[in-house]
Amino acid sequence: MPEPEDWIAARGAWAVTDEPGGTPLPDHLLADPDLSLMAKGILALLLAEQGHPVNPYEDAHEEPADIKAAVEELVAANLVARVTR
């Protein structure tokens, strides 16, 4: 069975850095009680890619249904947008 695919990218302006390990993660998002831990992790992955689209299913150990729920959470919060890859 093929791996699920759903390309997403962070919406809006986010800080970027030249340091490979220095991705800034806004404290208010990490502390947001309305975002699940998985949604916060996917958002961190997106911000680490500094604007490049990501397929959150790629190389994931989590269940596709859980990833899909977290992506829907981020889309509903207007933090990410689906994009065509």
Side-chain angles (χ1 to χ4, degrees):
M1 183 175 199
E3 183 176 277
E5 191 171 287
D6 189 8
W7 291 92
I8 56 176
R11 293 180 62 94
W14 297 91
V16 295
T17 179
D18 290 334
E19 295 180 36
T23 303
L25 229 47
D27 289 337
H28 72 279
L29 291 176
L30 292 175
D32 188 338
D34 295 328
L35 291 177
S36 67
L37 185 57
M38 186 171 295
K40 291 173 186 178
I42 291 173
L43 185 58
L45 173 68
L46 283 169
L47 295 180
E49 290 299 317
Q50 298 196 24
H52 297 279
V54 170
N55 175 11
Y57 296 97
E58 190 174 313
D59 297 328
H61 297 282
E62 294 74 19
E63 293 295 320
D66 295 335
I67 294 171
K68 180 179 166 101
V71 168
E72 293 301 329
E73 207 177 312
L74 292 168
V75 169
N78 206 28
L79 294 169
V80 305
R82 287 190 168 85
V83 296
T84 303
R85 178 72 178 178

